[in-house]
Amino acid sequence: MTLLDSWIRGEHTGETLRGTTATFPTYRKGSGPGVIVIHEIPGLTPEVIGFGEEVVAAGYTVVMPHLFGTPERPLGPGSLVSAMRQVCVSKEFTKLARRETSPVAGWLRSLARDLHAELGGPGVGALGMCFTGGFALAMMVDDAVAAPVLCQPSAPFPVGKERAADLNLSPADLSTVKSRAAGGCQVLGLQYSSDAATGTRFDTLTREIGGAFIRVEFEGKGHSTVTAHRQQEGVDRVLAFFSEKLTG
């Protein structure tokens, strides 16, 4: 029996921000309010699936898109190289561009709208990690997302000070995020304070949306706050955030 055998495999087709139609596989499990868990590089690793199981056990319908990598393949040099190769050749992901939203965000917003329409409630949760960390912020542009969580957002790759501070959002999307934050939609962010991959994005978020940004930082060396370098406090804060925003 594999780690994903108990999950329902499906797919979702939606429009990207490039105006093209894309289809990606999805894995779904649980009941209750919807939460979209977006995997990090190199993909749906055992640690990411394990985190998804924790969210399911807390009382949520979890949908995990499969955007790149090989499902269930452990983190390692081979899986990292393979996933990076897929990411770098894909037009759906921005890697170095500043002030630009990754095109796949359009597809993710479509997935969130469909899940919200099906399950109802105040909205769905969205959690991104590492390379996909900022995707949850980009999804917040759509009212269907009521609980965005950014775990160690690392795109665009922090080459230089400007990219290290960039939120992976277009000016128009940033304006919408600020408007929603001013209207009461909070953003939860988790990172290791000394993690070079996240750059100074948390400072940018604090400056742009102020008190609507809930900033959680951990000491020590680490990167993946809810998976490989898991912090139980971080997982607890995420689940409490979802409970507050999605179930009241």
Side-chain angles (χ1 to χ4, degrees):
M1 183 174 180
T2 67
L3 295 173
L4 289 169
D5 278 351
S6 61
W7 294 71
I8 300 171
R9 190 185 187 282
E11 62 180 28
H12 178 74
T13 299
E15 189 172 296
T16 73
L17 297 182
R18 294 191 299 120
T20 58
T21 299
T23 300
F24 291 101
T26 59
Y27 292 89
R28 175 170 171 159
K29 187 175 183 178
S31 60
V35 173
I36 297 171
V37 174
I38 315 164
H39 62 74
E40 57 200 330
I41 289 176
L44 280 169
T45 62
E47 290 87 355
V48 172
I49 298 168
F51 174 75
E53 293 279 7
E54 288 186 81
V55 182
V56 169
Y60 299 94
T61 300
V62 175
V63 176
M64 299 189 299
H66 171 214
L67 301 179
F68 47 78
T70 302
E72 300 184 5
R73 187 177 181 182
L75 172 66
S79 62
L80 284 170
V81 170
S82 177
M84 284 299 297
R85 185 180 298 117
Q86 293 179 51
V87 166
C88 288
V89 301
S90 174
K91 295 181 180 179
E92 306 303 344
F93 310 103
T94 58
K95 279 73 72 172
L96 291 170
R98 294 176 52 244
R99 295 164 58 85
E100 184 176 327
T101 305
S102 284
V104 75
W107 182 89
L108 289 165
R109 292 170 190 168
S110 172
L111 177 63
R113 286 193 298 271
D114 279 8
L115 191 61
H116 182 214
E118 175 192 346
L119 299 177
V124 301
L127 181 145
M129 315 176 183
C130 179
F131 179 72
T132 72
F135 292 1
L137 193 66
M139 292 169 71
M140 179 184 165
V141 167
D142 199 296
D143 289 342
V145 175
V149 180
L150 285 61
C151 294
Q152 66 277 351
S154 306
F157 298 140
V159 181
K161 291 183 178 180
E162 292 184 340
R163 289 190 181 94
D166 193 84
L167 297 179
N168 202 200
L169 290 178
S170 68
D173 283 349
L174 177 57
S175 178
T176 303
V177 164
K178 292 170 70 172
S179 178
R180 287 209 65 205
C185 185
Q186 293 181 304
V187 178
L188 176 64
L190 285 71
Q191 71 170 4
Y192 280 90
S193 57
S194 59
D195 185 1
T198 59
T200 57
R201 294 186 180 96
F202 276 23
D203 293 338
T204 303
L205 277 164
T206 298
R207 182 177 67 251
E208 295 291 351
I209 65 174
F213 180 48
I214 305 170
R215 181 172 180 163
V216 179
E217 298 186 87
F218 304 108
E219 297 301 320
K221 295 181 178 180
H223 175 64
S224 301
T225 53
V226 297
T227 55
H229 311 126
R230 169 195 172 93
Q231 287 281 342
Q232 185 60 46
E233 179 191 347
V235 175
D236 292 344
R237 293 289 292 268
V238 169
L239 295 178
F241 185 70
F242 287 155
S243 177
E244 177 188 353
K245 303 302 180 182
L246 305 180
T247 69

